[in-house]
Amino acid sequence: MHRTLIASLLVAMFSSGCAMLVPDYATPAAPISQQWPEAPENAAASGTVVPAEGAAAAAVQPAGSPAAAAIGWESFFTDPGLRQLIALALANNRDLRVTGLNIEKARAQYQIQRADLFPSINASVSGSNQRTPASLSATGKVAVTQQYSAGLGFAAYELDFFGRISSLKEQALYQFLATEEARRSAQISLVAEVANAWLTLAADSEHLLLAEDTLRSQSESYQMSQRRFELGAASELDLRQAQTSVESARADVARYTAQLALDRNALLPLVGNDIPPQLLRNRSLGSISALAPIPAGIPSALLQQRPDVLQAERLLQAANANIGAARAAFFPSITLTASGGNASNQLSELFAAGSGSWSFVPKINLPIFNAGRLSANLAVARVDEQISLAQYEKTVQTAFREVADALVQLAPLNEQLAAQLALVEASSASYRLSRARFDSGVDSYLVVLDSQRAQYAAQQNLISVRQSSLANQVTLYKVLGGGAF
């Protein structure tokens, strides 16, 4: 009989509907311009990145190509060594590991909150013995009473008529989803950090090779000047000017040697593990595959692919769900406690016929006076939603600015790279001519020295501009939400 009663109660509880008091949610309008400051097609029309020893092509492709968010990092980065470094970082980076553990924690919290929708049914077996002295006994004699029970039941299970528990469950769900987006955002940021650190290492490696080549050639020129000076064919001024070029190159060799060590050290915490030495030797600015085109449409639709924007929206949805829980607290709450089993004053008769027992304790709690506590909690929930809304809008605005900043640099970097290549060619030709004129006795060594310095500076700047161009493509890939995992 009691088992039938408990089963009927459970069916009634699970079949009872609940009124959700969560406000209707709609994705807020993006507080940004409907157009980029500079349209992507204008940047693409201004010219592609000029290839230089395997430099990347244009960062914007023709229409019809896949969006950046759909391009996996393995496809975007073509250098095998860089791909190996990124794979190591994704597997071993400690910050990313903490992010993954936060996801596991949020998943467990959601499961805990979801469990409140169901009663916790427990089996219990208990026994008690009590001695009552004669002075307190109704019979005037010492009384010893015993009681044993065994049964199933649940305590203080709340019927979710007004959606308080369901709202809290939705809040926990959106917080869990936000941590998932946080992991994606952390992965994309980590990929970009590793790529930029690798580009810095590659650029400094080229700077070092250039400085070593310059030191070698200038040392040979200095030795020639020293022989000419000893033979009386050159002045001491020419000798000292040649020496300044040698010492300047030697200083650069020492500087870039130290910088390379710092670059390697910067990669270690990003990768999170020992880096195979072959991945760090003879690095150069290789090719990076072109970015996907900017999808047609308003920027807000594009930016919603970014995980940090999705994360901010999930937190806004969680705050919206919390309002429903705060509203439901104004309504009556109904809790049930029920149990059924067997009871006896003798342990041997606990499961004998006629020893069945049950209890059913419904409870209704109606808030009447709480000194404004419930109203204050609702006000806090609403303010939290407005805070989350402001944070969401700020995230969208930041994303728009980051993409716009990367886009507007495309054409200028293309033009700067082309101009720098032409400058290197011109300065190299000038150095060759000035050297020939010096060897013919037409010009002084000062002209040669100026030409050599101009050529060296142009070559150094070319490396820096190529690095900036590639880094801008990595940034554009990142800010567009690229990096399918």
Side-chain angles (χ1 to χ4, degrees), residues 22-367:
V22 178
D24 294 334
Y25 176 82
T27 300
I32 55 178
S33 172
Q34 297 301 301
Q35 296 295 332
W36 303 110
E38 180 180 342
E41 51 268 22
N42 293 342
S46 65
T48 59
V49 176
V50 180
E53 299 178 7
V60 179
Q61 294 177 346
S65 300
I71 302 176
W73 61 267
E74 302 97 329
S75 301
F76 183 75
F77 299 103
T78 59
D79 184 89
L82 177 55
R83 284 204 295 257
Q84 285 183 278
L85 282 180
I86 293 175
L88 285 173
L90 292 174
N92 299 294
N93 182 267
R94 298 306 187 271
D95 291 335
L96 197 60
R97 187 175 299 176
V98 170
T99 303
L101 293 174
N102 284 333
I103 292 176
E104 297 301 322
K105 177 181 176 182
R107 180 184 289 111
Q109 289 173 335
Y110 166 66
Q111 292 173 345
I112 291 172
Q113 196 65 60
R114 184 176 180 273
D116 289 341
L117 289 171
F118 306 93
S120 298
I121 300 177
N122 301 300
S124 63
V125 177
S126 64
S128 65
N129 294 272
Q130 181 177 347
R131 179 183 183 279
T132 303
S135 59
L136 297 179
S137 174
T139 61
K141 298 180 180 179
V142 173
V144 177
T145 58
Q146 298 173 327
Q147 182 176 345
Y148 302 93
S149 65
L152 294 174
F154 54 86
Y157 171 67
E158 181 177 347
L159 295 178
D160 197 26
F161 282 116
F162 300 102
R164 187 185 73 86
I165 298 177
S166 296
S167 297
L168 293 175
K169 183 206 72 171
E170 291 298 311
Q171 180 190 23
L173 173 62
Y174 286 123
Q175 289 174 339
F176 163 64
L177 295 176
T179 58
E180 287 278 8
E181 299 300 339
R183 176 168 64 178
R184 286 185 56 222
S185 182
Q187 287 174 326
I188 294 173
S189 296
L190 177 61
V191 168
E193 285 185 63
V194 173
N196 283 320
W198 185 88
L199 288 175
T200 300
L201 175 68
D204 287 337
S205 295
E206 292 193 5
H207 278 298
L208 178 59
L209 289 175
L210 176 60
E212 289 175 341
D213 289 342
T214 302
L215 175 60
R216 190 179 305 110
S217 63
Q218 292 307 307
S219 295
E220 294 174 356
S221 297
Y222 174 69
Q223 292 173 1
M224 291 177 60
S225 297
Q226 192 171 29
R227 287 196 296 270
R228 288 167 62 92
F229 172 72
E230 293 172 351
L231 295 173
S235 65
E236 185 178 359
L237 177 60
D238 291 338
L239 178 63
R240 297 310 175 193
Q241 287 173 340
Q243 185 180 5
T244 60
S245 180
V246 172
E247 300 305 332
S248 176
R250 181 180 290 118
D252 283 346
V253 169
R255 177 160 62 93
Y256 287 116
T257 299
Q259 188 60 50
L260 275 177
L262 295 177
D263 294 341
R264 296 187 186 98
N265 291 341
L267 271 171
L268 285 174
L270 292 176
V271 174
N273 203 351
D274 292 336
I275 302 176
Q278 65 272 15
L279 296 182
L280 301 178
R281 286 197 296 262
N282 302 322
R283 294 293 93 197
S284 62
L285 294 172
S287 62
I288 297 180
S289 59
L291 281 181
I294 307 302
I298 60 174
S300 59
L302 174 62
L303 294 178
Q304 285 176 353
Q305 301 177 23
R306 283 181 43 143
D308 58 337
V309 174
L310 291 174
Q311 178 189 4
E313 184 172 6
R314 296 292 178 262
L315 293 176
L316 175 59
Q317 291 171 310
N320 185 70
N322 192 42
I323 293 178
R327 284 178 173 178
F330 286 89
F331 294 86
S333 62
I334 302 175
T335 59
L336 301 178
T337 298
S339 65
N342 297 76
S344 173
N345 60 357
Q346 297 292 329
L347 182 60
S348 59
E349 299 178 359
L350 180 59
F351 296 101
S355 63
S357 67
W358 59 267
S359 68
F360 175 57
V361 185
K363 179 181 178 183
I364 299 179
N365 180 50
L366 177 63

